[in-house]
Amino acid sequence: MKFTLSWLKEHLDTDADAAAVADAMTMAGLEVEEVHDPIAALAPFTVARIVSAERHPNADRLQVCQVDTVDGRKEIVCGAPNARAGLTTIYAPIGAWVPGLQVTLVEKPVRGVVSHGMLCSAAELELAGDSDGILELADDLTVGTPAAGVFGAEPVIDFEVTPNRPDWLGVAGIARDLAAASLGQLKTPAVVPVPGAFPSPITVRIEAPEMCPAYSGRLIRGVKNGPSPEWLQHRLTAIGLRSINRLVDVTNLIAYDRCRPLHVYDAAKLVGGEIVVRAGQVAADTPEHAGGQHEHLIALDGKTYTADPAICMIADAAGERPIGLGGVMGGESTGCSDETVDVFVESGWFDPLVTAQTGRTLAISSDAQYRFARGVDPAFMVPGLELATRLILDLCGGEPSEVVTAGEALADPASFAFDPARVGQLTGLSLDEDRIAEILTRLGFEVERGAPWTVTPPSWRRDVEGAADLVEEVARIQGYDALPSTPLPDQGAPSRGVLNPRQARVRRARRALAAMGYAEAVTWSFTRQSTAALFGGGDERLLVENPIAAELDCMRPSVLPNLVQAAARNAARGHADAALFEIGPIYLDDSPTGQRTVIAGLVAPRSARHWGGGAEDALFGLKGDLMALLDELGAPTASLQLAQGQNRDWWHPGRSARLQLGPKNVMVEFGALHPRVLKALDADGPMLAFEIVLDAVPEPRGAKSKTRGPANLANLMPLTRDFAFVVEDGRAAGDLMRAVAGADKALIADLRVFDVYRGAGVPEGMKSVALEVVIQPAEATLTEAGIEALSAKIVAAGAKAGATLRA
């Protein structure tokens, strides 16, 4: 909703400027979105007069103009076809910001001739009007006159209207609230009825009172339509409306001034002498409408709409011909033009729910529909018609008929009891009863003071239904800034909350992955069916009946496709080196519950350009992150079996594996994703990932203590010894490591693989795996004999794993 400051002051006697009005509106609960001050935007622009205009020596379509400006005579290059000697227009100096072009003027040559400014069109100043050339102004304007004064520029306030306050959709309603907030005195003039000179030849009949309980109208004959006067055009264009003609502009003015939508019909185009308000109809079975069809209407916006029985229609010709969508928009067939002589003015009250549903069904939104859908004042139906009549007579002339009315307007809101002490109880405001009564009375409420009070809401406030609503009205008019800032009472130590084991593990996993450098992604639980099929899903039972988007039509069988696509989007924006994780559900048709919770991580390694590559290092790094995460979750990592060649087909067959506790409890799948899958998802490889099925990770035995025990730090230096074992090429290095680690758990603190060799000196089908063993003495420094004894244990443990010490 927009309005100008001068428009507001026609209803409110105040000296406040636009900023003060916006502040008062905010404190009264009206959400101001913007205060646009075109005066500031037009400050650099002034009136100028072209003295001479000659063709540019190097361009046929340009002219070199000598222009009298506020800065003296300037030579300006202009390409407008209407630039000529003697023309009064608008001048922009060097350094001015031109809003329509979004540029700042600089002094530069144009085809060899320097232009010392610019002559402006309406579009360049963001003004309504013809933009084929520069502005043409009245010759009596003085050179140097500010453009803001020429165009009557003034501040425009734009604010958001909450659905329960339709009275704010009229400037008069805003003025009423600001007057109650003591910003000024309300001076909205009362509506004076216009007596009818003759009975209306057009009658009204309502067949659908549930859609339109009341409808009134009157004929005005002998009008002279045409362009609206300048004041009316300016008022509408200032808030973004296009001036059409006097009759239509009057209805738009009253809609924004009093929140009373109206419509005008060209009476000469009405058929049958009767207007019928009814529901949409289905045409009879005729050769033109075989089997029956819903009726159609070509509306004023030039579009054709299909009306079903849930839509309110306005019809003539004994109700047969549709001429308008009730409360939404009139029909093209009865629209007013400059040739209109007799006009029928409509003022109805259309049901808000029906009108709102019509807008949703037909995908149409008009000023009338927006207001009726929120519930306009039913008591202003006839007064709004009278106000329109007076304006039409003043602007167009003519002779009005008597008002015809059908149906009954809604009853006024019911009274209810109110205890003024509730204001202090609910808000903490210390207001006396006189101030509370004053606020409510200024807002239009009728107050009968007693024990308790009896309050009757005005007809335009049907949203007020009880004492709490009145307290809110008093609080916002007093000003939200007046509410006391009282701290809440101390409730003691805050509750720590209780997490179940699953929630605690999810929290630990999230923190651990974030600490490793992974960024959390939150993606949809849906994906495209073809994408789900790449990851073993896409079953018909997992399709979504009413998807929110065409590419989200299937429940995801894995988190990985969403992470792959997220990484690809990051890469497309210049952030290729991604490390993402997500914890969430997946949906499988072979699961007993159909749903499992997984922890998925994905790395897209994009190291700096180097001959050594680095993808293999990234894969081992991913495995290290995975094992650290499993340790944090309390998984029995020492008992896990690593199985290769058994992963599903979206994994790279030579660079992936699974971790399991036996063949029936697969806990993790990890490795490189298959290039075929990445190509289908339009993602560049390599991408490495893991997916932990949280349901398959057993809970650790015994509850973990919430406090850490004493640190057990060794006071002796550790030492390392290297061992190279020859094992079968197909045997996993992890099996050898577990065997060696078990040789002496008290002394062996850590071990790692630092080399794998195949070649000369190693038999065919075998490989050499070099281990660095970290030995941590606890009681005393090891002697040579002790080290040799431990080395013998390590060699024996390797032998049990099928490995021999390399010579």
Side-chain angles (χ1 to χ4, degrees), residues 81-433:
N82 62 333
R84 61 186 183 275
L87 177 66
T88 301
T89 186
I90 294 296
Y91 155 74
I94 297 299
W97 170 259
V98 183
L101 299 179
Q102 296 289 295
V103 298
T104 299
L105 293 183
V106 295
E107 193 174 274
K108 64 179 182 179
V110 180
R111 294 289 184 93
V113 178
V114 176
S115 182
H116 301 278
M118 177 181 179
L119 302 179
C120 302
S121 68
E124 288 158 350
L125 298 182
E126 294 187 335
L127 299 173
D130 190 359
S131 298
D132 290 339
I134 58 177
L135 287 160
E136 298 191 22
L137 305 179
D139 294 336
D140 58 354
L141 288 173
T142 303
V143 171
T145 302
V150 173
F151 301 113
E154 60 176 321
V156 176
I157 298 175
D158 185 8
F159 74 101
E160 185 68 26
V161 179
T162 55
N164 67 322
R165 292 304 304 271
D167 56 307
W168 284 346
L169 290 168
V171 179
I174 303 164
R176 183 188 303 112
D177 274 27
L178 292 177
S182 302
L183 193 69
Q185 293 295 321
L186 188 66
K187 62 175 185 178
T188 300
V191 177
V192 180
V194 178
F198 58 92
S200 173
I202 298 175
T203 59
V204 176
R205 175 162 52 93
I206 297 177
E207 292 184 353
E210 71 282 0
M211 296 180 171
C212 176
Y215 185 103
S216 64
R218 79 187 321 167
L219 179 73
I220 304 176
R221 62 190 182 192
V223 301
K224 186 177 180 180
N225 200 12
S228 295
E230 185 176 347
W231 71 266
L232 181 52
Q233 291 188 39
H234 173 71
R235 177 152 296 180
L236 297 179
T237 56
I239 62 173
L241 296 180
R242 181 173 60 91
S243 176
I244 300 174
N245 56 52
R246 297 174 194 171
L247 292 172
V248 176
D249 288 355
V250 164
T251 64
N252 287 334
L253 177 69
I254 296 176
Y256 277 80
D257 188 70
R258 301 295 184 94
C259 189
R260 168 31 63 181
L262 303 164
H263 185 64
V264 286
Y265 299 95
D266 190 330
K269 299 175 183 178
L270 296 174
V271 179
E274 182 183 40
I275 286 181
V276 180
V277 184
R278 58 169 174 79
Q281 295 180 348
V282 178
D285 190 358
T286 64
E288 295 81 9
H289 302 288
Q293 294 182 359
H294 294 299
E295 61 185 346
H296 294 74
L297 173 75
I298 302 176
L300 287 172
D301 61 0
K303 299 179 181 179
T304 301
Y305 297 99
T306 301
D308 59 40
I311 293 176
C312 181
M313 300 295 294
I314 311 297
D316 65 358
E320 292 297 324
R321 185 182 71 150
I323 59 173
L325 299 166
V328 179
M329 188 176 290
E332 188 178 70
S333 62
T334 55
C336 293
S337 65
D338 290 351
E339 289 73 36
T340 298
V341 176
D342 299 336
V343 60
F344 185 83
V345 187
E346 165 195 285
S347 180
W349 196 89
F350 298 92
D351 182 82
L353 294 179
V354 173
T355 310
Q357 186 58 49
T358 298
R360 286 191 289 269
T361 301
L362 302 180
I364 180 173
S365 178
S366 64
D367 287 337
Q369 188 267 347
Y370 187 79
R371 285 162 171 77
F372 279 124
R374 282 152 179 77
V376 302
D377 182 6
F380 200 71
M381 182 180 73
V382 174
L385 178 61
E386 298 283 9
L387 183 59
T389 302
R390 173 50 58 196
L391 282 171
I392 291 173
L393 295 180
D394 291 344
L395 299 179
C396 307
E399 185 180 29
S401 75
E402 298 172 352
V403 175
V404 291
T405 301
E408 295 183 2
L410 298 186
D412 289 338
S415 303
F416 54 84
F418 175 63
D419 181 1
R422 293 286 288 165
V423 174
Q425 294 169 1
L426 294 181
T427 67
L429 290 170
S430 298
L431 301 178
D432 57 38
E433 294 188 357

Side-chain angles (χ1 to χ4, degrees), residues 501-782:
R502 167 72 64 83
Q503 293 170 328
R505 299 177 88 184
V506 166
R507 174 176 289 186
R508 288 198 300 272
R510 181 175 286 113
R511 291 180 175 177
L513 286 166
M516 295 175 193
Y518 289 75
E520 184 172 11
V522 180
T523 66
W524 294 105
S525 292
F526 319 106
T527 188
R528 190 188 297 271
Q529 185 181 15
S530 58
T531 301
L534 295 173
F535 290 80
D539 189 274
E540 295 291 332
R541 291 173 292 179
L542 296 178
L543 292 181
V544 181
E545 291 185 359
N546 186 23
I548 58 176
E551 65 273 13
L552 299 173
D553 61 344
C554 184
M555 306 303 293
R556 65 182 183 186
S558 170
V559 177
L560 296 181
N562 292 5
L563 293 182
V564 169
Q565 292 170 327
R569 286 193 296 270
N570 278 273
R573 290 161 175 79
H575 302 282
D577 191 11
L580 306 174
F581 79 92
E582 181 174 0
I583 303 175
I586 62 172
Y587 304 88
L588 306 172
D589 52 11
D590 61 347
S591 173
T593 62
Q595 178 175 325
R596 294 177 184 172
T597 300
V598 299
I599 304 172
L602 179 136
V603 175
R606 299 289 189 276
S607 58
R609 296 177 64 185
H610 190 270
W611 66 271
E616 293 295 335
D617 292 341
L619 182 56
F620 287 120
L622 178 84
K623 182 183 177 184
D625 293 344
L626 172 61
M627 299 306 294
L629 177 59
L630 290 173
D631 283 335
E632 182 67 25
L633 295 177
T637 52
S639 303
L640 290 177
Q641 302 170 356
L642 187 142
Q644 291 182 278
Q646 299 181 30
N647 276 12
R648 288 168 287 189
D649 57 4
W650 56 88
W651 296 101
H652 194 298
R655 301 185 62 226
S656 62
R658 59 170 52 174
L659 296 175
Q660 59 191 32
L661 290 171
K664 293 185 178 180
N665 187 4
V666 179
M667 191 182 302
V668 186
E669 290 186 340
F670 72 98
L673 292 169
H674 201 292
R676 170 184 55 82
V677 173
L678 296 179
K679 182 178 180 180
L681 295 178
D682 195 23
D684 294 330
M687 287 191 182
L688 316 173
F690 62 82
E691 195 165 50
I692 303 172
V693 180
L694 191 58
D695 310 85
V697 180
E699 297 283 349
R701 295 181 180 179
K704 285 189 175 182
S705 172
K706 294 184 179 180
T707 58
R708 295 183 179 181
N712 184 17
L713 302 177
N715 56 1
L716 297 175
M717 289 292 294
L719 66 150
T720 62
R721 286 294 183 269
D722 296 343
F723 298 86
F725 290 97
V726 177
V727 297
E728 294 180 0
D729 200 7
R731 182 177 292 275
D735 295 341
L736 176 61
M737 293 176 67
R738 278 192 292 272
V740 170
D744 191 326
K745 294 182 180 180
L747 287 176
I748 298 177
D750 193 13
L751 74 161
R752 62 184 68 92
V753 177
F754 68 87
D755 185 44
V756 177
Y757 172 73
R758 301 175 183 85
V762 176
E764 185 73 22
M766 307 293 283
K767 64 182 177 183
S768 172
V769 178
L771 302 178
E772 180 186 49
V773 180
V774 180
I775 303 169
Q776 177 61 66
E779 302 296 335
T781 302
L782 291 178

Side-chain angles (χ1 to χ4, degrees), residues 464-491:
V464 177
E465 298 177 346
D469 296 326
L470 294 180
V471 172
E472 180 184 2
E473 293 301 299
V474 173
R476 70 178 187 84
I477 295 301
Q478 186 67 20
Y480 290 132
D481 55 340
L483 292 174
S485 55
T486 304
L488 294 174
D490 185 8
Q491 300 295 325

